[in-house]
Amino acid sequence: MRTRFAPSPTGPLHLGHAFSALTAQKLAAQAGGSFLLRIEDIDRSRARPEWEAQIYDDLHWLGLDWPAPVMRQSDRLPQYRAALGALWDRGLLYPCSCNRRDIAAALAAPQEGAEPVLGPDGLVYPGTCRPSTPPTGEMPDDLPLRLNMAKALEGLELSFHETGAGPGGETGTIHLSAAHMCDNIGDVILARRDMGTSYHLSVVVDDAEQEITDVVRGRDLFEATAIHVLLQRLLRLPTPRYHHHCLIRDDAGKRLAKRDDARAIATYREQGLTPGDIRQRLGL
Ligand code: GLU
């Protein structure tokens, strides 16, 4: 078994991150497997070296260790572009420069009819830029690219194995419905203009490269897993098992945010708590 923790260095690690990392490490250790770390720093406008340094420091303090060198997504743009190129060559991507306001306006137009649906990446794209025939020629390297979801799903039956649980208690073999994915996820962005890639594309390419057998992460990413399983199939990569764990909430029941410094591991450390105190607080 191989698990991983894949934080983005865009803020301090908080209790939710500690829970994720410790759970991933524990599951691997119980099976005699290994635990890996990956730094998800494709968002160059928000990633900071000081947050990355703090991640290493907090995780070591919690008692975690991992093999070096650590994979950093900012080193892997060529691999992501190669994967995108394979999808482009199959006619599954199209350029789209619609911004959030364009999407909201298109959805508000009377001819669209249907109610706007909120998907894992925001409002489900109404298809304004989706071409009726796949674009030809070279893949543009300076434009956002969307996945043509309906076309990508043609003829595919998708499922994955959940060893934790989704938000509705989903566990075991999860069958993915193409109709549900078209209506509730839609044509997601796979290459963002400012990054040349996206979370979904990078995470799939990297989990395969690191030979992750069990992806351990928060339940908030359960819906996105359908996109990842589809991309694995399209890119001929193996689908790992998934373990979505419960989310750690603050005392008022709200999900912890990156800016919630009060629950940052660093704050607890300054207050003199021990790693044992943190584990106890997390029920681990
Ligand atoms: N980088 C993602 C985050 O910090 C983790 C995604 C994942 O575990 O798949 O939310």
Side-chain angles (χ1 to χ4, degrees), residues 4 6-8 40 199 203 217 221:
R4 48 68 165 182
S8 304
E40 301 213 321
Y199 159 64
V203 85
R217 61 188 182 191
L221 288 166

Side-chain angles (χ1 to χ4, degrees), residues 100-110 112:
R100 263 178 230 196
R101 202 179 322 143
D102 299 330
I103 295 172
L107 287 166
E112 290 295 333

Side-chain angles (χ1 to χ4, degrees), residues 71-146:
M71 179 181 280
R72 297 166 80 244
Q73 291 192 325
S74 53
D75 294 333
R76 292 179 44 76
L77 194 59
Q79 284 85 342
Y80 306 143
R81 296 303 292 182
L84 287 164
L87 300 175
W88 174 266
D89 291 345
R90 291 175 57 187
L92 300 179
L93 303 181
Y94 61 89
C96 169
S97 299
C98 291
N99 59 29
R100 263 178 230 196
R101 202 179 322 143
D102 299 330
I103 295 172
L107 287 166
Q111 66 271 26
E112 290 295 333
E115 280 293 298
V117 176
L118 200 58
D121 290 349
L123 289 174
V124 171
Y125 184 61
T128 321
C129 295
R130 186 191 306 128
S132 48
T133 53
T136 49
E138 288 283 294
M139 177 170 79
D141 54 16
D142 52 352
L143 291 176
L145 299 171
R146 284 190 185 273

